[in-house]
Amino acid sequence: MASLRALLGVVLCSLMVSASEILPQADFDLQGIAGKWYLTGTCSNSKWFVCRKANMKSGTAVAEPTEDGSLKATFSFLTDPCWKIEILASKTDVPGKFTYTIPFTGFATEMRVVDAKPDEYSLNHYINTGRNGTFVENNLYGRSLDLSDEVKEKFNQLCLQSGILPENIVYLPKTDLICNECPQATWNSSWIPAVGLQQGLGDDSEKFKQHGTSHS
């Protein structure tokens, strides 16, 4: 039993070290990531994600750099109902690393743009902290819904480096409505967690939806 605990300790420590070594892109270009992106891949070991990954679909993100070097982003998810979420990710002293919080939930996220080719893809790493602990997520964004096998392999490696199990790496199916953005209800980030936060809600997600204001 003692040897088993020791082995588990080594494994957990190795995962923590791997995640901590995931750094933002050295030559990060904020203006380069401006514009529209498609969410094509995602990975996490969180309970919320594992329970719902089979039903996830593609989404969109529109990034808008601010004058002070921060990043405004609007996310659209074609779930039921459709979510449209706005966040303001504040810059840090490290280029390519941003932070944002969700006031109502108490969640805080650190986002790192690990690898981005402005006209093709962006690999983003998220460290999410809430009342139930901390979990890691990675997202793959593309300028189109079709990304090369080489880019997908980059994403696979990022997920594995983050300690994500291979079975929890998901490439999202395309949807017919994705190009029409979000046709239904809209909430802002005061109520609904954004990409890096939604997975930690679990059964509380319905409670947060009740605080949203829908628009036709």
Side-chain angles (χ1 to χ4, degrees):
M1 180 63 71
S3 61
L4 177 58
R5 285 198 296 265
L7 177 60
L8 290 174
V10 170
V11 171
L12 289 173
C13 286
S14 66
L15 294 181
M16 291 173 66
V17 170
S18 295
S20 66
E21 292 176 347
I22 297 175
L23 302 175
Q25 187 171 17
D27 56 349
F28 173 72
D29 177 13
L30 178 60
Q31 296 300 322
I33 65 170
K36 184 176 180 179
W37 296 88
Y38 294 94
L39 176 64
T40 62
T42 184
C43 66
S44 178
N45 287 337
S46 73
K47 181 179 179 181
W48 190 99
F49 181 89
V50 172
C51 292
R52 293 164 174 80
K53 62 183 180 181
N55 297 318
M56 290 183 173
K57 298 178 181 179
S58 302
T60 61
V62 178
E64 180 184 349
T66 65
E67 292 183 359
D68 69 351
S70 297
L71 186 67
K72 291 174 60 178
T74 302
F75 302 95
S76 297
F77 302 97
L78 291 174
T79 56
D80 184 16
C82 183
W83 286 6
K84 188 173 183 181
I85 306 158
E86 298 177 352
I87 67 165
L88 175 61
S90 300
K91 69 174 183 178
T92 67
D93 293 336
V94 179
K97 183 168 76 173
F98 302 87
T99 61
Y100 55 92
T101 59
I102 305 298
F104 183 81
T105 67
F107 276 95
T109 291
E110 180 181 300
M111 180 183 77
R112 304 175 186 181
V113 181
V114 178
D115 183 10
K117 187 175 180 182
D119 62 347
E120 187 178 0
Y121 67 86
S122 180
L123 305 180
N124 294 355
H125 176 69
Y126 303 86
I127 303 172
N128 306 300
T129 303
R131 63 185 181 279
N132 294 323
T134 299
F135 64 96
V136 171
E137 176 190 6
N138 297 303
N139 287 329
L140 170 61
Y141 289 94
R143 290 298 190 183
S144 73
L145 288 168
D146 298 305
L147 295 175
S148 68
D149 291 340
E150 180 181 358
V151 171
K152 291 180 179 179
E153 182 57 28
K154 287 176 179 284
F155 183 65
N156 290 342
Q157 292 304 313
L158 174 61
C159 292
L160 295 175
Q161 185 183 357
S162 305
I164 308 299
L165 298 175
E167 59 266 32
N168 292 333
I169 303 173
V170 177
Y171 289 95
L172 304 171
K174 302 175 185 178
T175 64
D176 293 336
L177 292 177
I178 191 167
C179 293
N180 296 328
E181 301 298 332
C182 230
Q184 302 178 32
T186 299
W187 291 272
N188 67 33
S189 63
S190 297
W191 303 294
I192 299 294
V195 162
L197 301 176
Q198 60 180 331
Q199 297 178 359
L201 283 176
D203 294 335
D204 289 341
S205 59
E206 292 302 322
K207 177 178 69 177
F208 294 129
K209 286 181 185 179
Q210 294 172 7
H211 292 264
T213 302
S214 60
H215 303 274
S216 57

